[in-house]
Amino acid sequence: MYQLVIHFSDDYGKGAKTENVSVILGLDNEDEMRAIYEKLSSEGGQVKVELQKTFFGALHGQVADGKNGITWVMNCFAGN
């Protein structure tokens, strides 16, 4: 099971753009996270941050998908 957090921000009247869109996934299973990360990166995705343990206690990684250019930010706090 994972939690999906979608963050929307107002453009403050400057005209909306679809660049720099990120979706943050909070996962509780490292194997599931690795599978999602590998699938996104193997299907034409661009790795932005390699999977790594972080100072804030999560396994963390970021991949921009090859289809829409959306950046998937993933964190897993399982096993900590």
Coordinates of all heavy atoms in Angstrom, one line a residue:
M1 N 0.8 -1.2 0.0 CA 0.0 0.0 0.0 C 0.9 1.2 0.0 O 1.9 1.3 0.6 CB -0.9 0.0 1.3 CG -1.8 1.2 1.3 SD -2.9 1.0 2.7 CE -3.0 2.7 3.2
Y2 N 0.5 2.3 -0.7 CA 1.2 3.5 -0.7 C 0.3 4.7 -0.7 O -0.9 4.6 -1.0 CB 2.2 3.6 -1.9 CG 1.6 3.3 -3.2 CD1 1.0 4.4 -4.0 CD2 1.6 2.1 -3.8 CE1 0.4 4.1 -5.2 CE2 1.1 1.8 -5.0 CZ 0.5 2.8 -5.7 OH -0.1 2.5 -6.9
Q3 N 0.8 5.8 -0.3 CA 0.1 7.0 -0.1 C 0.5 7.9 -1.3 O 1.6 8.0 -1.6 CB 0.5 7.7 1.2 CG -0.1 9.1 1.3 CD 0.5 9.8 2.6 OE1 1.4 9.3 3.2 NE2 -0.1 10.9 2.9
L4 N -0.5 8.5 -1.9 CA -0.2 9.5 -3.0 C -0.5 10.9 -2.6 O -1.6 11.1 -2.1 CB -1.1 9.1 -4.2 CG -1.0 10.0 -5.4 CD1 0.4 10.0 -6.0 CD2 -2.0 9.6 -6.5
V5 N 0.4 11.7 -2.6 CA 0.3 13.1 -2.3 C 0.4 14.0 -3.6 O 1.4 13.9 -4.3 CB 1.3 13.6 -1.3 CG1 1.2 15.1 -1.0 CG2 1.3 12.8 0.0
I6 N -0.7 14.7 -3.9 CA -0.7 15.6 -5.1 C -0.7 17.0 -4.6 O -1.6 17.4 -3.8 CB -1.8 15.3 -6.0 CG1 -1.8 13.8 -6.5 CG2 -1.8 16.2 -7.2 CD1 -3.0 13.4 -7.3
H7 N 0.3 17.7 -4.9 CA 0.4 19.1 -4.5 C 0.2 20.1 -5.7 O 0.9 20.0 -6.7 CB 1.8 19.3 -4.0 CG 2.1 20.7 -3.5 ND1 3.3 21.1 -3.0 CD2 1.3 21.8 -3.4 CE1 3.3 22.4 -2.6 NE2 2.1 22.9 -2.9
F8 N -0.9 20.9 -5.5 CA -1.2 21.9 -6.5 C -0.8 23.3 -6.0 O -0.9 23.5 -4.8 CB -2.7 21.9 -6.9 CG -3.1 20.6 -7.5 CD1 -3.7 19.6 -6.7 CD2 -3.0 20.4 -8.9 CE1 -4.1 18.4 -7.3 CE2 -3.4 19.2 -9.4 CZ -4.0 18.2 -8.7
S9 N -0.3 24.1 -6.9 CA 0.0 25.5 -6.5 C -0.5 26.5 -7.5 O -0.5 26.2 -8.7 CB 1.6 25.6 -6.4 OG 1.9 26.9 -6.1
D10 N -1.0 27.6 -7.0 CA -1.5 28.6 -7.8 C -0.3 29.3 -8.6 O 0.8 29.4 -8.1 CB -2.2 29.7 -7.0 CG -2.9 30.7 -7.8 OD1 -2.3 31.6 -8.3 OD2 -4.2 30.6 -7.8
D11 N -0.6 29.7 -9.8 CA 0.4 30.4 -10.6 C 0.5 31.9 -10.4 O 1.2 32.6 -11.0 CB 0.2 30.1 -12.1 CG -1.0 30.7 -12.7 OD1 -1.8 31.4 -11.9 OD2 -1.2 30.6 -13.9
Y12 N -0.4 32.4 -9.5 CA -0.4 33.8 -9.1 C -0.6 34.7 -10.2 O 0.0 35.8 -10.3 CB 0.9 34.2 -8.3 CG 1.1 33.3 -7.1 CD1 2.0 32.3 -7.1 CD2 0.3 33.4 -5.9 CE1 2.2 31.4 -6.0 CE2 0.4 32.6 -4.8 CZ 1.4 31.6 -4.9 OH 1.6 30.8 -3.8
G13 N -1.4 34.3 -11.2 CA -1.8 35.1 -12.3 C -0.8 35.2 -13.4 O -0.9 36.0 -14.3
K14 N 0.3 34.4 -13.4 CA 1.4 34.4 -14.4 C 1.1 33.5 -15.6 O 2.0 33.5 -16.5 CB 2.7 34.1 -13.7 CG 3.1 35.1 -12.6 CD 4.4 34.6 -11.9 CE 4.7 35.6 -10.8 NZ 5.8 35.1 -10.0
G15 N 0.1 32.8 -15.6 CA -0.2 31.9 -16.7 C 0.4 30.5 -16.4 O 1.5 30.3 -16.2
A16 N -0.5 29.5 -16.3 CA -0.1 28.2 -15.9 C 0.8 27.5 -17.0 O 0.6 27.7 -18.2 CB -1.4 27.3 -15.7
K17 N 1.7 26.7 -16.5 CA 2.6 25.9 -17.4 C 2.6 24.5 -16.8 O 2.4 24.3 -15.7 CB 4.0 26.5 -17.3 CG 4.2 27.9 -17.9 CD 5.6 28.4 -17.8 CE 5.7 29.8 -18.4 NZ 7.0 30.3 -18.3
T18 N 2.9 23.6 -17.7 CA 2.9 22.2 -17.3 C 4.3 21.7 -17.0 O 4.5 20.5 -16.8 CB 2.2 21.3 -18.3 OG1 2.9 21.4 -19.5 CG2 0.7 21.6 -18.4
E19 N 5.3 22.5 -17.0 CA 6.7 22.1 -16.7 C 6.9 22.0 -15.2 O 6.1 22.6 -14.4 CB 7.7 23.1 -17.4 CG 7.6 24.5 -16.9 CD 8.4 25.5 -17.7 OE1 8.4 25.3 -18.9 OE2 9.0 26.3 -17.1
N20 N 7.8 21.2 -14.8 CA 8.2 21.1 -13.4 C 7.1 20.5 -12.6 O 6.9 20.9 -11.4 CB 8.7 22.4 -12.8 CG 9.9 22.9 -13.5 OD1 10.8 22.1 -13.9 ND2 10.0 24.2 -13.7
V21 N 6.3 19.5 -13.1 CA 5.3 18.9 -12.4 C 5.9 17.7 -11.7 O 6.6 16.9 -12.3 CB 4.1 18.5 -13.3 CG1 3.1 17.6 -12.6 CG2 3.5 19.7 -13.9
S22 N 5.6 17.5 -10.4 CA 6.1 16.3 -9.7 C 4.9 15.7 -9.0 O 4.0 16.3 -8.5 CB 7.1 16.8 -8.6 OG 8.2 17.3 -9.2
V23 N 5.0 14.4 -8.9 CA 4.1 13.6 -8.1 C 4.9 12.9 -7.0 O 6.0 12.3 -7.3 CB 3.4 12.5 -8.9 CG1 2.5 11.6 -8.1 CG2 2.5 13.2 -10.0
I24 N 4.5 13.0 -5.8 CA 5.3 12.4 -4.6 C 4.6 11.2 -4.2 O 3.4 11.2 -3.9 CB 5.4 13.5 -3.5 CG1 6.1 14.7 -4.0 CG2 6.1 12.8 -2.3 CD1 6.1 15.9 -3.0
L25 N 5.3 10.1 -4.2 CA 4.8 8.8 -3.7 C 5.5 8.5 -2.3 O 6.7 8.5 -2.2 CB 5.1 7.7 -4.6 CG 4.5 7.7 -6.0 CD1 5.1 6.6 -6.9 CD2 3.0 7.7 -6.0
G26 N 4.6 8.3 -1.3 CA 5.1 7.8 0.0 C 4.8 6.3 0.1 O 3.6 6.0 0.2
L27 N 5.8 5.5 0.0 CA 5.6 4.0 0.0 C 6.1 3.4 1.3 O 7.0 4.0 2.0 CB 6.4 3.4 -1.1 CG 5.8 3.9 -2.5 CD1 6.9 4.7 -3.2 CD2 5.5 2.7 -3.3
D28 N 5.5 2.3 1.7 CA 5.9 1.6 2.9 C 6.6 0.3 2.7 O 6.8 -0.5 3.6 CB 4.7 1.5 3.9 CG 3.6 0.7 3.3 OD1 3.7 0.1 2.2 OD2 2.5 0.7 4.0
N29 N 7.0 0.0 1.4 CA 7.6 -1.2 1.0 C 8.7 -0.9 0.1 O 8.5 -0.4 -1.0 CB 6.6 -2.1 0.4 CG 7.1 -3.5 0.0 OD1 8.0 -3.6 -0.8 ND2 6.6 -4.5 0.6
E30 N 10.0 -1.2 0.5 CA 11.1 -0.9 -0.3 C 11.2 -1.7 -1.7 O 11.5 -1.1 -2.7 CB 12.4 -1.1 0.4 CG 12.7 -0.1 1.5 CD 14.1 -0.2 2.1 OE1 15.0 -0.9 1.6 OE2 14.3 0.6 3.1
D31 N 10.7 -2.9 -1.6 CA 10.7 -3.7 -2.9 C 9.7 -3.1 -3.9 O 10.0 -3.1 -5.1 CB 10.4 -5.2 -2.6 CG 11.4 -5.9 -1.8 OD1 12.6 -5.5 -1.9 OD2 11.1 -6.9 -1.1
E32 N 8.6 -2.7 -3.4 CA 7.6 -2.1 -4.3 C 8.1 -0.8 -4.9 O 8.0 -0.5 -6.1 CB 6.3 -1.8 -3.5 CG 5.2 -1.3 -4.4 CD 3.9 -1.1 -3.6 OE1 3.9 -1.0 -2.4 OE2 2.8 -1.2 -4.3
M33 N 8.8 0.0 -4.0 CA 9.4 1.2 -4.5 C 10.5 1.0 -5.5 O 10.5 1.7 -6.6 CB 10.0 2.0 -3.3 CG 10.6 3.4 -3.8 SD 11.1 4.3 -2.3 CE 12.3 5.4 -3.1
R34 N 11.3 0.0 -5.3 CA 12.4 -0.3 -6.3 C 11.8 -0.7 -7.6 O 12.3 -0.4 -8.7 CB 13.3 -1.4 -5.7 CG 14.2 -0.9 -4.6 CD 15.1 -2.0 -4.1 NE 15.7 -1.7 -2.8 CZ 16.7 -0.9 -2.6 NH1 17.3 -0.3 -3.7 NH2 17.2 -0.6 -1.4
A35 N 10.7 -1.5 -7.6 CA 10.0 -2.0 -8.8 C 9.4 -0.8 -9.6 O 9.6 -0.7 -10.8 CB 8.9 -3.0 -8.5
I36 N 8.8 0.2 -8.9 CA 8.3 1.3 -9.6 C 9.4 2.2 -10.2 O 9.3 2.6 -11.3 CB 7.4 2.2 -8.6 CG1 6.2 1.4 -8.1 CG2 7.0 3.5 -9.2 CD1 5.4 2.0 -7.0
Y37 N 10.4 2.4 -9.4 CA 11.6 3.2 -9.8 C 12.2 2.6 -11.1 O 12.5 3.2 -12.1 CB 12.6 3.3 -8.7 CG 13.9 4.0 -9.0 CD1 13.9 5.4 -8.7 CD2 15.0 3.4 -9.5 CE1 15.1 6.1 -9.0 CE2 16.1 4.1 -9.8 CZ 16.2 5.4 -9.5 OH 17.3 6.1 -9.8
E38 N 12.4 1.2 -11.0 CA 13.1 0.6 -12.2 C 12.2 0.6 -13.4 O 12.7 0.8 -14.5 CB 13.4 -0.9 -11.8 CG 14.5 -1.0 -10.8 CD 15.8 -0.4 -11.2 OE1 16.2 -0.5 -12.4 OE2 16.5 0.2 -10.3
K39 N 10.9 0.4 -13.2 CA 10.0 0.5 -14.4 C 10.0 1.8 -15.0 O 10.1 2.0 -16.2 CB 8.6 0.1 -14.0 CG 7.6 0.1 -15.1 CD 6.3 -0.6 -14.8 CE 5.5 -0.5 -16.1 NZ 4.6 -1.6 -16.2
L40 N 9.9 2.9 -14.2 CA 9.9 4.3 -14.8 C 11.2 4.5 -15.5 O 11.2 5.1 -16.6 CB 9.7 5.3 -13.7 CG 8.2 5.4 -13.2 CD1 8.2 6.3 -11.9 CD2 7.3 6.0 -14.2
S41 N 12.3 4.2 -14.9 CA 13.6 4.5 -15.5 C 13.9 3.6 -16.7 O 14.6 4.1 -17.6 CB 14.7 4.4 -14.4 OG 14.8 3.1 -13.9
S42 N 13.4 2.4 -16.8 CA 13.7 1.5 -17.9 C 12.8 1.8 -19.1 O 13.0 1.4 -20.2 CB 13.5 0.1 -17.5 OG 12.1 -0.2 -17.3
E43 N 11.7 2.6 -18.9 CA 10.8 2.9 -20.0 C 11.0 4.3 -20.5 O 10.1 5.1 -20.8 CB 9.3 2.7 -19.6 CG 9.0 1.3 -19.3 CD 7.6 1.1 -18.8 OE1 6.8 2.1 -18.5 OE2 7.2 -0.1 -18.7
G44 N 12.3 4.7 -20.7 CA 12.6 6.0 -21.3 C 12.7 7.1 -20.3 O 12.8 8.3 -20.6
G45 N 12.5 6.8 -19.0 CA 12.6 7.8 -17.9 C 14.0 8.3 -17.7 O 15.0 7.7 -18.0
Q46 N 14.0 9.5 -17.1 CA 15.3 10.1 -16.8 C 15.5 10.1 -15.3 O 14.7 10.8 -14.6 CB 15.4 11.6 -17.4 CG 16.6 12.3 -17.0 CD 16.5 13.8 -17.3 OE1 15.5 14.3 -17.7 NE2 17.6 14.5 -17.1
V47 N 16.5 9.5 -14.8 CA 16.8 9.4 -13.4 C 17.3 10.8 -13.0 O 18.2 11.3 -13.5 CB 17.8 8.3 -13.1 CG1 18.3 8.4 -11.6 CG2 17.3 7.0 -13.4
K48 N 16.6 11.4 -12.0 CA 17.0 12.7 -11.5 C 17.8 12.5 -10.2 O 18.7 13.3 -9.9 CB 15.8 13.6 -11.3 CG 15.1 13.9 -12.6 CD 14.3 15.1 -12.5 CE 13.8 15.5 -13.9 NZ 14.0 16.9 -14.2
V49 N 17.4 11.5 -9.4 CA 18.1 11.2 -8.1 C 18.1 9.7 -8.0 O 17.1 9.1 -8.0 CB 17.4 11.8 -6.9 CG1 18.1 11.4 -5.6 CG2 17.3 13.3 -7.0
E50 N 19.3 9.1 -8.0 CA 19.5 7.7 -7.8 C 18.8 7.3 -6.5 O 18.8 8.0 -5.5 CB 21.0 7.3 -7.8 CG 21.7 7.6 -9.1 CD 21.4 6.5 -10.2 OE1 20.9 5.4 -9.8 OE2 21.6 6.8 -11.3
L51 N 18.4 6.0 -6.4 CA 17.8 5.5 -5.1 C 19.0 5.5 -4.1 O 20.1 5.1 -4.4 CB 17.4 4.1 -5.3 CG 16.0 3.8 -5.9 CD1 15.7 2.3 -6.0 CD2 14.9 4.6 -5.2
Q52 N 18.6 6.1 -2.9 CA 19.6 6.2 -1.9 C 19.0 6.4 -0.5 O 17.9 6.9 -0.4 CB 20.6 7.4 -2.2 CG 19.8 8.7 -2.3 CD 20.7 9.8 -2.8 OE1 21.5 10.3 -2.0 NE2 20.6 10.1 -4.1
K53 N 19.7 5.9 0.5 CA 19.2 6.2 1.9 C 19.6 7.6 2.2 O 20.6 8.1 1.8 CB 20.0 5.3 2.9 CG 19.6 3.8 2.7 CD 18.2 3.5 3.3 CE 17.9 2.0 3.3 NZ 16.7 1.7 3.9
T54 N 18.7 8.3 2.9 CA 18.9 9.7 3.1 C 19.1 10.0 4.6 O 18.9 9.2 5.4 CB 17.6 10.5 2.7 OG1 16.5 10.1 3.5 CG2 17.3 10.3 1.2
F55 N 19.6 11.3 4.8 CA 19.8 11.7 6.2 C 18.4 11.8 6.9 O 18.4 11.8 8.2 CB 20.5 13.1 6.2 CG 19.6 14.2 5.7 CD1 18.8 15.0 6.5 CD2 19.5 14.5 4.3 CE1 18.0 16.0 6.1 CE2 18.8 15.5 3.8 CZ 18.0 16.3 4.7
F56 N 17.3 11.9 6.2 CA 16.0 12.0 6.9 C 15.3 10.7 7.1 O 14.2 10.6 7.4 CB 15.1 13.0 6.2 CG 14.8 12.8 4.7 CD1 13.8 12.0 4.3 CD2 15.6 13.4 3.8 CE1 13.6 11.8 2.9 CE2 15.4 13.3 2.4 CZ 14.4 12.4 2.0
G57 N 16.1 9.6 6.9 CA 15.7 8.3 7.2 C 14.8 7.5 6.2 O 14.1 6.6 6.5
A58 N 14.8 8.0 5.0 CA 14.0 7.3 3.9 C 14.9 6.8 2.8 O 16.0 7.3 2.6 CB 13.0 8.3 3.3
L59 N 14.4 5.8 2.1 CA 15.0 5.4 0.8 C 14.3 6.4 -0.1 O 13.1 6.5 -0.1 CB 14.6 4.0 0.4 CG 15.1 3.5 -0.9 CD1 16.6 3.5 -1.0 CD2 14.6 2.1 -1.2
H60 N 15.1 7.1 -0.9 CA 14.6 8.2 -1.8 C 15.1 8.1 -3.2 O 16.2 7.7 -3.4 CB 15.0 9.5 -1.2 CG 14.7 10.7 -2.0 ND1 13.4 11.3 -1.9 CD2 15.4 11.4 -2.9 CE1 13.4 12.3 -2.8 NE2 14.6 12.4 -3.4
G61 N 14.3 8.4 -4.2 CA 14.7 8.5 -5.6 C 13.7 9.3 -6.4 O 12.6 9.6 -5.9
Q62 N 14.2 9.8 -7.5 CA 13.4 10.6 -8.4 C 13.6 10.2 -9.8 O 14.8 10.1 -10.3 CB 13.7 12.1 -8.2 CG 13.4 12.6 -6.9 CD 13.7 14.1 -6.7 OE1 13.7 14.9 -7.7 NE2 13.9 14.6 -5.5
V63 N 12.5 10.1 -10.6 CA 12.6 9.7 -12.0 C 11.6 10.5 -12.8 O 10.4 10.6 -12.4 CB 12.3 8.2 -12.3 CG1 12.4 7.9 -13.8 CG2 13.3 7.3 -11.5
A64 N 12.0 11.2 -13.9 CA 11.0 11.9 -14.8 C 10.6 10.8 -15.8 O 11.5 10.2 -16.5 CB 11.7 13.0 -15.5
D65 N 9.3 10.6 -15.9 CA 8.9 9.5 -16.8 C 9.1 9.9 -18.3 O 9.2 11.1 -18.6 CB 7.4 9.1 -16.6 CG 6.4 10.1 -17.0 OD1 6.5 10.7 -18.1 OD2 5.4 10.3 -16.2
G66 N 9.2 8.9 -19.1 CA 9.6 9.1 -20.5 C 8.4 9.5 -21.4 O 8.5 10.0 -22.5
K67 N 7.2 9.4 -20.9 CA 6.0 9.7 -21.6 C 5.5 11.1 -21.5 O 5.3 11.8 -22.4 CB 4.8 8.7 -21.2 CG 3.6 8.9 -22.0 CD 2.5 7.9 -21.6 CE 1.3 8.1 -22.4 NZ 0.2 7.1 -22.0
N68 N 5.4 11.6 -20.2 CA 4.9 12.9 -20.0 C 5.9 13.9 -19.4 O 5.5 15.1 -19.2 CB 3.7 12.8 -19.0 CG 2.6 12.0 -19.6 OD1 2.1 12.3 -20.7 ND2 2.2 10.9 -18.9
G69 N 7.0 13.4 -19.0 CA 8.0 14.3 -18.3 C 7.7 14.6 -16.9 O 8.3 15.5 -16.3
I70 N 6.7 13.9 -16.3 CA 6.4 14.2 -14.9 C 7.4 13.6 -14.0 O 7.8 12.4 -14.2 CB 5.0 13.6 -14.6 CG1 3.9 14.4 -15.3 CG2 4.7 13.6 -13.1 CD1 2.5 13.8 -15.2
T71 N 7.9 14.3 -13.0 CA 8.9 13.8 -12.1 C 8.2 13.0 -11.0 O 7.3 13.6 -10.3 CB 9.8 14.9 -11.5 OG1 10.5 15.5 -12.6 CG2 10.8 14.3 -10.5
W72 N 8.6 11.8 -10.8 CA 8.0 11.0 -9.7 C 9.1 11.0 -8.6 O 10.2 10.5 -8.7 CB 7.8 9.5 -10.2 CG 6.7 9.5 -11.2 CD1 6.9 9.7 -12.6 CD2 5.3 9.3 -11.0 NE1 5.7 9.7 -13.2 CE2 4.7 9.4 -12.3 CE3 4.6 9.0 -9.9 CZ2 3.3 9.2 -12.4 CZ3 3.2 8.8 -10.0 CH2 2.6 8.9 -11.3
V73 N 8.7 11.6 -7.4 CA 9.5 11.7 -6.2 C 9.0 10.6 -5.3 O 7.9 10.5 -4.9 CB 9.4 13.0 -5.6 CG1 10.2 13.1 -4.3 CG2 9.8 14.1 -6.6
M74 N 9.9 9.7 -4.9 CA 9.5 8.5 -4.1 C 10.3 8.5 -2.8 O 11.5 8.7 -2.7 CB 9.8 7.2 -4.8 CG 8.9 7.1 -6.1 SD 9.5 5.8 -7.1 CE 10.4 6.8 -8.3
N75 N 9.6 8.2 -1.7 CA 10.2 8.1 -0.4 C 9.6 6.8 0.3 O 8.4 6.6 0.2 CB 9.8 9.3 0.5 CG 10.5 10.5 0.1 OD1 11.7 10.5 0.0 ND2 9.8 11.6 -0.2
C76 N 10.4 6.1 0.9 CA 10.0 4.9 1.7 C 10.7 4.9 3.0 O 11.9 5.0 3.1 CB 10.3 3.6 1.0 SG 9.8 2.1 1.8
F77 N 9.9 4.9 4.1 CA 10.4 4.9 5.5 C 10.4 3.6 6.1 O 10.6 3.4 7.3 CB 9.6 5.9 6.3 CG 9.9 7.4 5.9 CD1 9.1 8.0 5.0 CD2 11.0 8.1 6.5 CE1 9.3 9.3 4.6 CE2 11.2 9.4 6.1 CZ 10.4 10.0 5.2
A78 N 10.0 2.5 5.4 CA 10.0 1.1 5.9 C 11.3 0.7 6.4 O 12.4 1.0 5.8 CB 9.4 0.2 4.9
G79 N 11.3 -0.1 7.5 CA 12.6 -0.7 7.9 C 13.4 0.3 8.7 O 14.6 0.0 9.1
N80 N 12.9 1.4 9.1 CA 13.7 2.4 9.8 C 13.4 2.3 11.3 O 12.4 2.1 11.7 CB 13.5 3.8 9.3 CG 14.0 4.0 7.9 OD1 15.1 3.5 7.6 ND2 13.3 4.6 7.1

